[in-house]
């Protein structure tokens, strides 16, 4: 089989590395990829917004299966576009991708299908939003409706903060804003729950816990994710039954009632409040760094699973996982999530020897003249599998210390809730 993975982050390097182990693979491409994917796949420099160029490449190279990593092309309808040409694509279509692309689409679906989520209001302008906020309860949560790379969410402790959030959103900080969403603040513990779906059958695809804040102790600004561990400490059979019956299945029924279906990974960001799951958000893809954390635990051939999904045969596949704990630490450029230096040389990445329980997945890196440079905010992911989270984290830290790069930083407390 010839497979192309679309995207360039740590998630995509993990997908490429895992699919590379498939017994039925002839050639693998990553569009556009990074320095890490270039070692194990052929990188192809195409802008993922240019669907016609993506299709031309797929057609010219007779690609059998396309796997879409990031949300933007999904929300823009790349699956619908490629399927018109009979390309096999793993990922949800444009309508289903609104689960991530529009928070208001998801909230309305929750309302219609009684899916537990924070109480909310939708406001179309600053005046109405501020009138409501004048007498609202605090803390509350204010969100831009559009895709904002995890940054369009404000937790507001008082009126002043909430007015500033409303101003920033309507002034276009996250692109043109037609609405804001004001939500009740849910106090509980977060958990990410993943499924994979072929449109008819769904299977669990593990749980994880991300660390979104930039500083230790969950302080500082929000980021794309500074590290994760899997499984979540919260998951048990009873909770999983509730997540499936109260959240995932009604959502998929909602899509069926709209005349569509869900094919791909679905990531439910949940708040668990006194053993009850509430939906915070959906993402229509694997998480990053959750993907890098979860995939090393997979024992079943990933290419087989993804192909089965495109053929509506997921029911025939038994997905198996190792029982080990997985922990991932993200190494970032100093300054992230604000400004940081780009094109900084990382010296000795090629000299790493990793055993079967240790993994390095690249994110913002590029190769030039056989040298590797840091180009992004999140640069490298270090993952270790072990019998317990503390050992996994110690292994990761040992590995990071061998790296000759003083332009980076990382959170040393990833997994603090599961490590004493
Ligand atoms: P989102 O982009 O919707 O996932 O929000 C980003 C982060 O904000 C989440 O991971 C939560 O930590 C927090 N958050 C969002 N909505 C709520 C809520 N209603 N109550 C408490 N925390 C929230
Ligand atoms: N790690 C959070 C996300 O992928 O959205």
């Amino acid at each position: 089989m010839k497979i192309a993975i679309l995207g360039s982050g740590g998630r995509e390097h993990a997908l490429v590395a895992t699919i590379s182990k498939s017994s039925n693979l002839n050639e693998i491409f990553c569009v556009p990829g990074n320095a890490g994917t270039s070692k194990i796949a052929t990188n192809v420099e195409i802008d993922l917004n240019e669907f016609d160029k993506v299709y031309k490449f797929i057609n010219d190279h007779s690609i059998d299966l396309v796997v879409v990593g990031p949300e933007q092309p999904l929300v823009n309808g790349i699956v619908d576009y490629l399927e018109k040409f009979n390309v096999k694509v793993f990922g949800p279509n444009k309508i289903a991708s609104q689960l991530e692309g529009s928070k208001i689409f998801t909230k309305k679906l929750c309302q219609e299908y009684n899916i537990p989520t924070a109480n909310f209001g939708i406001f179309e302008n600053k005046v109405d939003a501020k009138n409501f906020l004048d007498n609202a309860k605090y803390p509350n949560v204010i969100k831009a409706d559009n895709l904002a790379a995890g940054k369009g969410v404000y937790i507001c402790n008082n009126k002043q903060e909430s007015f500033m959030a409303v101003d920033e959103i309507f002034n276009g900080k996250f692109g043109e804003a037609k609405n804001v969403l004001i939500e009740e603040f849910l106090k509980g513990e977060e958990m990410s729950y993943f499924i994979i779906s072929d449109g008819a059958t769904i299977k669990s695809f593990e749980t994880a816990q991300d660390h979104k804040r930039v500083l230790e102790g969950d302080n500082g600004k929000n980021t794309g994710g500074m590290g994760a561990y899997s499984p979540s400490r919260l998951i048990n059979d009873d909770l999983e039954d509730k997540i499936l019956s109260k959240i995932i299945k009604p959502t998929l029924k909602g899509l069926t009632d709209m005349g569509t279906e869900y094919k791909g990974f679905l990531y439910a960001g949940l708040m668990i409040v006194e053993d009850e799951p509430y939906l915070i958000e959906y993402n229509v893809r694997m998480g990053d760094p959750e993907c890098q954390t979860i995939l090393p635990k997979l024992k079943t051939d990933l290419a087989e699973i993804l192909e089965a999904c495109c053929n509506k045969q997921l029911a025939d596949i038994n997905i198996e996982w190792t029982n080990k704990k997985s922990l991932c630490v993200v190494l970032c450029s100093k300054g992230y999530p604000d400004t940081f230096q780009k094109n900084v040389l990382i010296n000795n990445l090629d000299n790493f020897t990793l055993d079967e329980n240790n993994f390095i997945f690249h994110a913002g890196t590029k190769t030039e003249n056989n040298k590797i440079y840091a180009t992004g905010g999140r640069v490298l992911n270090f993952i270790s599998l072990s019998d317990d989270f503390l050992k996994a984290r110690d292994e990761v830290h040992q590995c990071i210390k061998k790296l000759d790069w003083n332009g980076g930083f990382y959170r040393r407390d990833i997994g603090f809730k599961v490590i004493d």
Side-chain angles (χ1 to χ4, degrees):
M1 223 178 0
K2 285 187 177 184
I3 302 184
I5 285 85
L6 310 188
S8 61
R11 169 183 46 217
E12 287 74 25
H13 188 189
L15 286 165
V16 170
T18 311
I19 290 172
S20 295
K21 294 189 277 185
S22 169
S23 51
N24 184 22
L25 183 76
N26 300 112
E27 226 179 332
I28 185 159
F29 300 89
C30 195
V31 189
N34 58 36
T37 62
S38 74
K39 301 265 182 214
I40 51 175
T42 306
N43 280 1
V44 184
E45 195 55 47
I46 299 175
D47 180 343
L48 294 182
N49 291 312
E50 302 193 65
F51 293 177
D52 51 341
K53 292 192 180 146
V54 175
Y55 171 64
K56 185 173 185 313
F57 168 78
I58 287 162
N59 191 43
D60 288 350
H61 291 78
S62 309
I63 305 287
D64 301 296
L65 174 66
V66 179
V67 181
V68 189
E71 63 276 17
Q72 192 77 59
L74 292 168
V75 171
N76 291 348
I78 196 161
V79 171
D80 313 57
Y81 184 91
L82 294 175
E83 284 182 344
K84 267 195 282 183
F85 299 102
N86 295 318
V87 176
K88 262 189 205 169
V89 200
F90 180 80
N93 63 30
K94 190 172 181 175
I95 294 178
S97 295
Q98 286 185 83
L99 286 175
E100 178 165 2
S102 166
K103 292 187 190 297
I104 289 171
F105 173 89
T106 303
K107 279 294 195 186
K108 288 190 168 156
L109 197 108
C110 288
Q111 233 170 5
E112 209 177 324
Y113 289 84
N114 282 322
I115 296 167
T117 186
N119 290 322
F120 69 100
I122 296 165
F123 299 88
E124 290 178 0
N125 57 60
K126 285 187 196 177
V127 176
D128 290 351
K130 288 182 182 174
N131 276 340
F132 173 83
L133 288 165
D134 252 335
N135 296 305
K137 276 199 227 154
Y138 289 90
N140 57 33
V141 187
I142 303 191
K143 301 182 178 184
D145 185 34
N146 24 350
L147 276 188
K151 292 179 190 112
V153 175
Y154 297 79
I155 314 276
C156 301
N157 291 305
N158 52 50
K159 204 165 33 170
Q160 194 192 355
E161 286 177 14
S162 67
F163 277 29
M164 196 189 80
V166 167
D167 284 334
E168 286 194 356
I169 292 171
F170 278 117
N171 291 347
K173 185 162 180 186
F174 309 100
E176 193 199 347
K178 294 201 176 76
N179 305 282
V180 292
L181 197 68
I182 302 180
E183 265 184 35
E184 160 201 24
F185 178 82
L186 292 175
K187 197 164 165 22
E189 190 170 328
E190 281 182 71
M191 172 182 135
S192 305
Y193 184 84
F194 298 87
I195 60 141
I196 186 167
S197 169
D198 67 359
T201 300
I202 61 169
K203 301 224 162 173
S204 158
F205 212 76
E206 283 286 311
T207 58
Q209 178 55 57
D210 188 12
H211 299 62
K212 285 198 173 119
R213 303 295 194 94
V214 69
L215 301 176
E216 285 169 19
D218 283 342
N219 292 306
K221 291 193 172 168
N222 254 326
T223 69
M226 299 294 295
Y229 59 85
S230 172
S232 157
R233 68 168 175 174
L234 300 172
I235 195 69
N236 56 56
D237 289 348
D238 185 41
L239 181 63
E240 182 157 26
D241 283 347
K242 287 182 192 166
I243 295 168
L244 290 170
S245 64
K246 296 185 177 185
I247 296 179
I248 306 285
K249 287 182 183 166
T251 302
L252 298 178
K253 163 125 189 15
L255 293 177
T256 309
D257 292 347
M258 277 173 216
T260 190
E261 62 181 26
Y262 197 95
K263 162 173 50 75
F265 291 118
L266 179 63
Y267 160 170
L270 306 169
M271 189 71 83
I272 311 301
V273 186
E274 291 166 3
D275 297 327
E276 287 296 322
Y278 289 78
L279 180 70
I280 299 254
E281 63 161 355
Y282 272 128
N283 295 308
V284 295
R285 50 171 173 85
M286 276 306 281
D288 181 335
E290 292 92 327
C291 186
Q292 299 88 300
T293 315
I294 289 174
L295 284 184
K297 301 201 305 176
L298 180 66
K299 292 207 282 190
T300 311
D301 186 320
L302 181 59
E304 240 175 61
I305 300 173
L306 302 180
E307 195 192 20
C309 277
C310 292
N311 295 335
K312 268 216 166 77
Q313 291 169 344
L314 182 60
D316 300 341
I317 302 255
N318 184 23
I319 303 180
E320 289 186 279
W321 304 93
T322 132
N323 275 330
K324 290 206 170 95
K325 316 276 190 223
S326 178
L327 189 135
C328 166
V329 175
V330 182
L331 195 55
C332 301
S333 297
K334 277 181 191 158
Y336 175 78
D338 296 317
T339 49
F340 52 84
Q341 224 184 322
K342 289 191 177 159
N343 300 317
V344 183
L345 183 67
I346 309 175
N347 256 321
N348 60 342
L349 249 182
D350 279 336
N351 305 332
F352 270 82
T353 40
L354 297 169
D355 66 22
E356 57 183 23
N357 290 315
N358 287 286
F359 305 81
I360 297 177
F361 297 127
H362 291 226
T365 63
K366 70 166 185 193
T367 316
E368 221 171 78
N369 301 323
N370 289 321
K371 293 202 164 97
I372 295 174
Y373 294 86
T375 57
R378 294 192 292 171
V379 180
L380 294 167
N381 305 267
F382 288 77
I383 297 95
S384 189
L385 295 181
S386 186
D387 296 331
D388 70 65
F389 284 121
L390 177 60
K391 277 195 211 145
R393 190 172 71 184
D394 283 346
E395 281 275 322
V396 162
H397 289 178
Q398 290 307 323
C399 201
I400 293 178
K401 281 182 192 140
K402 288 187 210 147
L403 190 74
D404 181 9
W405 182 44
N406 56 22
F409 76 98
Y410 60 99
R411 270 182 65 167
R412 285 162 303 161
D413 69 339
I414 299 303
F416 69 92
K417 286 192 176 144
V418 284
I419 299 173
D420 284 335

